[in-house]
């Protein structure tokens, strides 16, 4: 009898200390999500309670309190598994390859077995922290603001974006849209055709390095490919009075009505679906961005990434006017923006990269404090592709990088130049071009831990408090 | 006041006479579903109330009671549209191409405006029949029997299939499965690897012309690609006593438990999902099969198609033991099995083809009558690719076919040979080989109606009673 009660109390304590943390990883496209998660898993499962030299900044590992980390079966059987093995294999291939990027959501589950410290250690020696790691396209996160916008408001927002490169790329579908009699009875084939042109425009924006792509499913349709819910587009040429008139006059089967209906369906089913099935359940969110590639591209690409990151950031901004935030608040308690590919610059430039990231996200670098959300900014290399070397030239010593350059697959030693710590002015851009190289991964031996830069600082931010 | 009541009565009558028919089209793979639906739409929208020479067997068209047929927006915005325009364009290309086959579900909606005949014509002159046409992979239908099977029963069914070609193709994954200690704690990567081999086996079966592929989503995964729900396999090497022992002894995280759990998830979420979201709502079902290609292939391919068709047929069989049928019965009131590519044989062979189709489905040609389900068998060419000509040889006149042969893209005149009206015996197969050619579509001019064989008989079966 006593043992039974004792067992129950023990189980109760165990359940209380064994915790689950749902971690979401996303990023603007090409930000290196797959490489990041592959490395995150690799760093963790290589922790033992003896030596953890690969993670000096991760306290629980340094203190040898982590007994071991294992991959275990995920809970959601209908979500694709994150294919860690395949990604690791591509790094161990000869020549090594960057892991293939995913096109939808994926999941992986880890069990972290650790020694309790402090007070808890007297009640229970060891606990398990379960990590559910979700990888999802940044485009899905970029869609969340739609929940606060009706079709007219969204069209207006899109209108404000139409400038420079976008205006150029938008021509074909804009012309067709203007010619459409919105009060006429809708012809599905014509809608499908214009939507195809609109989707091609979004794809072209993406290919040109622009990041603020809305609606995100248009470029990553998966099972919705060809469905009417992805066959609408914003109306950029209408003035306020046109909207008013159309709302009063357009019949239920008119182009105007059908476009409204499809927008609403997209918002209420697709976006809200992601929101309810995934987003509200996340405990912590990492947002990855490659800040170097858009600097190479153009001023517009850079500003577009800024727009994208700020839109992402707004989703976490607890403001009175934003119903959506009140709904999920305060489930997410930690949020980190991570500049990736920090091995593509020399170490002295890393503070600039972090500062730039913060500027990009926070619009002028204002520190925005959220009630209950701790926000971090860092720069890392999930899979380190270069070595830093010292080069002597004309009596002076420079830091330089050695690695296999992607564009010509040659081993090179380069000085990648400096990273601006603030948003460069227009003048600056006209005078100077950035040219940060891409590098191929280094050969990885079987059993070797993936070389990284500062992944331990991410682990400390993400897990430190939970393993205390 | 009176006009208001009158209007309401009129609306009531209109609603009563305007009907919606949900028609499902499926078939074993390569049966020509896309070509069939493209032609079905094309035949219908080219009906007017003047001349309908292209559909002599479709009564409502012949009697000029159909005012017109239009494509209108579908109801389900999240289901891909059937891309009629693109399919028609590929037929009008130069050289003409067969429309691309789809890999998931698609939908299209037609409005048929017609003159009422008989009694109703006094109440209301014209009515509208709405047709919702759903195209879905035959593999999904082949999965329905799983709803009645647990993991052990399903494994046993799969065991019975393991012979000849299948046994050969199954070797790799079977070997690995046998070596697995089913009571050991499951390693997800090992499960994923064996599941990959198992999926490769199913794909190989499909490529070898075998049709009975279960579970169907393994070869058409769509958004489930890489998800654990598609990472299981049957256990063929276990005897009854092994199952019993494993059920008693295997722990919750063992291979055995995980495999059971995934099978159940597949059955209860994926298969039941199709069943509840689609299948129960269908009013009429067409099942297409190309009976000629498997005759070319091998006796096993032919028998496998028979197995597939009979499994499909069982879904519609109203038996006391099959709970699933009682659930949907009697929503589907008409069911038609259609042998496609009837233009690949001469017209004198068509009765044999129909007879063969019936044999294949009904296991020895027994006429199975269902309570409340009218079943039809026919042979058609949705898009006629050949012309029939008379050839004189040694004073005798033969029927022959003219068309562009697919394998060498040459215009040929061939005598395709005779079609067996019953399942040929083993002896017959050893002595003789069938060799029915594939043909390319004929050039189609813009505005021209797609040439067909007996599509009007399908329309009469499908719609005749609803347009009376």
């Amino acid at each position: 009898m006593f043992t039974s009660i004792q067992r129950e109390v023990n189980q109760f304590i165990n359940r209380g200390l064994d915790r689950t943390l749902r971690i979401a990883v996303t990023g603007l496209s090409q930000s290196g999500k797959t490489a990041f998660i592959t490395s995150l898993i690799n760093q963790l499962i290589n922790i033992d309670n003896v030596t953890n030299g690969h993670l000096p900044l991760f306290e629980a590992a340094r203190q040898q309190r982590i007994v071991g980390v294992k991959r275990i079966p995920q809970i959601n059987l209908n979500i694709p598994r994150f294919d860690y093995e395949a990604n690791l294999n591509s790094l161990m291939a000869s020549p090594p390859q960057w892991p293939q990027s995913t096109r939808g959501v994926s999941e992986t589950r880890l069990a972290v077995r650790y020694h309790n410290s402090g007070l808890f250690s007297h009640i229970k020696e060891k606990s398990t922290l379960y990590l559910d790691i979700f990888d999802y396209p940044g485009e899905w996160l970029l869609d969340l603001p739609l929940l606060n916008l009706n079709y007219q408001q969204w069209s207006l927002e899109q209108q404000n974006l139409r400038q420079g490169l976008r205006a150029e790329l938008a021509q074909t579908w804009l012309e067709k849209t203007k010619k459409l009699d919105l009060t006429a009875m809708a012809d599905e084939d014509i809608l499908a055709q214009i939507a195809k042109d609109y989707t091609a425009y979004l794809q072209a924006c993406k290919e040109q390095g622009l990041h603020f792509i809305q609606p995100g499913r248009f470029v990553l349709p998966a099972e919705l490919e060809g469905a009417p819910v992805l066959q609408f587009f914003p109306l950029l040429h209408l003035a306020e009075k046109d909207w008013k008139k159309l709302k009063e006059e357009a019949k239920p089967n008119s182009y105007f009505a059908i476009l409204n209906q499809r927008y609403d369906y997209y918002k209420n089913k697709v976006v809200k679906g992601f929101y309810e099935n995934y987003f509200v359940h996340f405990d912590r969110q990492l947002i990855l961005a490659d800040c170097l590639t858009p600097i190479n591209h153009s001023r517009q690409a850079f500003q577009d990434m800024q727009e994208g990151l700020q839109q992402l950031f707004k989703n976490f901004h607890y403001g009175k006017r934003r119903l959506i935030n009140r709904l999920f608040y305060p489930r997410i308690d930690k949020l980190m923006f991570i500049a990736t590919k920090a091995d593509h610059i020399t170490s002295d430039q890393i503070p600039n990269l972090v500062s730039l990231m913060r500027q990009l996200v926070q619009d002028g670098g204002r520190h925005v404090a959220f009630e209950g959300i701790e926000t971090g900014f860092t720069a890392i290399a999930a899979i380190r592709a270069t070595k830093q070397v010292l080069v002597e030239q004309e009596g002076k010593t420079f830091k330089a990088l050695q690695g296999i350059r992607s564009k010509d697959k040659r081993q090179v030693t380069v000085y990648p130049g400096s990273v601006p710590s603030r948003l460069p002015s227009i003048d600056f851009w006209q005078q100077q071009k950035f040219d940060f190289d891409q590098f191929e991964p280094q050969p990885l031996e079987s059993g070797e831990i993936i070389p990284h830069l500062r992944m331990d600082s991410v682990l400390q931010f993400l897990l430190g408090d939970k393993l205390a």
Side-chain angles (χ1 to χ4, degrees), chain A:
Chain A
M1 187 64 187
F2 177 72
T3 46
S4 157
I5 290 173
Q6 200 177 34
R7 201 183 316 125
E8 272 183 36
V9 170
N10 272 339
Q11 278 180 357
F12 177 79
I13 291 172
N14 284 356
R15 266 201 297 272
L17 291 177
D18 287 350
R19 277 167 296 190
T20 298
L21 206 57
R22 293 169 65 98
I23 297 165
V25 179
T26 193
L28 300 176
S29 71
Q30 300 298 314
S31 58
K33 288 199 313 288
T34 305
F36 178 83
I37 297 174
T38 303
S39 174
L40 186 83
I41 297 172
N42 187 264
Q43 307 307 331
L44 284 170
I45 62 179
N46 279 297
I47 294 175
D48 52 41
N49 52 3
V50 187
T51 55
N52 293 304
H54 65 298
L55 299 170
L57 301 179
F58 184 28
E59 213 169 77
R62 195 182 62 232
Q63 295 172 349
Q64 291 155 14
R65 286 194 294 103
I66 297 180
V67 182
V69 180
K70 269 194 317 192
R71 292 162 63 215
I72 58 171
Q74 69 196 54
I75 305 281
N76 305 289
L77 298 185
N78 59 333
I79 298 178
R81 289 171 74 226
F82 181 80
D83 201 348
Y84 173 71
E85 290 289 325
N87 296 331
L88 202 64
N89 284 339
S90 65
L91 289 173
M92 294 191 299
S94 169
Q97 308 283 326
W98 288 113
Q100 259 199 312
S101 66
T102 49
R103 297 178 61 82
V105 67
S106 79
E107 182 179 352
T108 197
R109 180 164 236 232
L110 301 176
V112 182
R113 191 87 181 129
Y114 67 101
H115 286 281
N116 291 310
S117 68
L119 186 66
F120 286 133
S121 61
H122 300 290
I123 306 172
K124 193 192 173 195
E125 201 199 343
K126 288 178 200 161
S127 297
T128 304
L129 176 65
Y130 295 98
L131 303 181
D132 287 316
I133 302 168
F134 294 87
D135 166 18
Y136 68 92
E139 283 84 354
W140 295 10
L141 190 53
L142 272 177
D143 270 353
L144 286 185
L146 295 194
L147 292 177
N148 293 305
L149 303 172
N150 65 27
Y151 183 48
Q152 180 180 353
Q153 291 164 330
W154 177 66
S155 290
L156 194 68
E157 278 213 352
Q158 296 300 307
Q159 195 172 26
N160 296 338
L161 280 174
R162 188 183 33 155
Q163 42 180 301
L165 187 58
R166 275 182 193 263
E168 221 172 278
L169 297 172
Q171 257 178 345
T172 311
W173 75 266
L174 266 180
E175 286 305 315
K176 288 196 189 169
T177 312
K178 278 185 203 157
K179 281 183 200 145
L180 208 58
D181 174 5
L182 291 163
T183 58
M185 199 179 126
D187 178 328
E188 279 220 290
D189 286 320
I190 290 174
L191 276 181
Q193 191 48 57
I194 302 180
K196 207 176 253 178
D197 291 332
Y198 177 61
T199 307
Y201 152 75
L202 293 176
Q203 287 284 12
C205 288
K206 203 172 163 180
E207 275 154 33
Q208 293 290 323
L210 303 183
H211 280 104
F212 186 47
I213 306 291
Q214 239 180 17
R217 300 289 170 131
F218 280 53
V219 295
L220 288 170
E223 77 277 13
L224 293 176
E225 184 144 20
V229 61
L230 300 191
Q231 293 174 342
F232 67 89
F233 37 83
L235 298 171
L236 306 190
H237 60 294
L238 299 187
E240 177 68 33
K241 65 170 179 12
D242 301 323
W243 283 97
K244 209 174 155 213
K245 196 156 173 271
L246 279 164
K247 276 180 193 167
E248 281 162 8
E249 292 176 9
K251 296 208 178 84
N253 55 5
S254 64
Y255 281 111
F256 183 75
I258 299 279
L259 286 168
N260 264 286
Q261 183 201 353
R262 290 182 181 180
Y263 173 84
D264 286 344
Y265 190 94
Y266 184 85
K267 168 178 146 179
N268 294 325
K269 301 285 171 172
V270 179
V271 183
K272 210 173 214 162
F274 163 65
Y275 177 73
E276 289 173 346
N277 297 329
Y278 296 96
F279 197 69
V280 285
H281 305 294
F282 295 150
D283 296 310
R284 291 177 177 185
Q285 172 74 56
L286 304 178
I287 297 178
L288 275 51
D290 164 13
C291 300
L292 301 174
T293 306
I295 293 190
N296 282 350
H297 253 296
S298 66
R299 182 176 158 87
Q300 192 171 4
F302 198 67
Q303 283 179 325
D304 207 81
M305 184 171 78
Q306 181 177 22
E307 177 69 29
L309 284 170
Q310 289 180 9
Q311 287 281 347
L312 294 186
F313 197 48
K314 274 187 201 161
N315 289 316
F316 298 93
H317 193 314
Y318 180 55
K320 275 183 196 147
R321 290 209 316 271
R322 295 189 162 261
L323 178 67
I324 151 179
N325 299 302
R326 253 180 300 156
L327 291 177
F328 76 79
Y329 177 88
R331 177 84 193 208
I332 286 181
D333 63 353
K334 286 195 171 201
L335 167 64
M336 190 175 228
F337 285 87
I338 300 174
T340 54
K341 306 187 187 172
D343 59 336
H344 287 45
I345 53 175
T346 50
S347 61
D348 53 305
Q349 298 298 317
I350 287 181
N352 280 1
L353 184 59
V354 176
S355 158
L356 183 67
M357 177 85 189
R358 188 190 283 273
Q359 285 257 337
L360 281 173
V361 173
Q362 288 188 325
D363 192 13
R366 285 181 295 114
H367 283 250
V368 179
F370 298 133
E371 293 177 50
I373 302 185
E374 187 184 339
T375 310
F377 294 88
T378 193
I380 59 128
I383 299 171
R384 192 174 178 161
T386 66
K387 269 180 220 144
Q388 188 165 286
V389 292
L390 291 174
V391 174
E392 212 166 303
Q393 206 171 19
E394 296 171 12
K396 280 184 184 165
T397 310
F398 295 91
K399 283 180 177 160
L401 299 179
Q402 251 177 21
I404 297 160
R405 191 161 55 187
S406 295
K407 67 180 172 200
D408 54 10
K409 304 278 189 288
R410 285 178 52 203
Q411 172 87 29
V412 292
T413 303
V414 293
Y415 175 65
S418 36
V419 176
S421 67
R422 306 183 64 80
L423 304 185
S425 67
I426 302 183
D427 294 352
F428 182 89
W429 233 287
Q430 281 164 343
Q431 290 156 22
Q432 191 169 342
K433 276 203 107 174
F434 292 100
D435 189 17
F436 295 104
D437 282 307
Q438 294 284 329
F439 289 91
E440 294 297 288
Q442 299 282 333
L444 188 73
E445 297 296 318
S446 176
E448 197 183 342
I449 303 172
I450 295 176
H452 70 90
L453 263 186
R454 298 156 62 101
M455 281 296 284
D456 41 353
S457 70
V458 174
L459 288 172
Q460 180 60 27
F461 179 87
L462 204 58
L463 307 178
D465 57 333
K466 295 290 176 184
L467 299 174

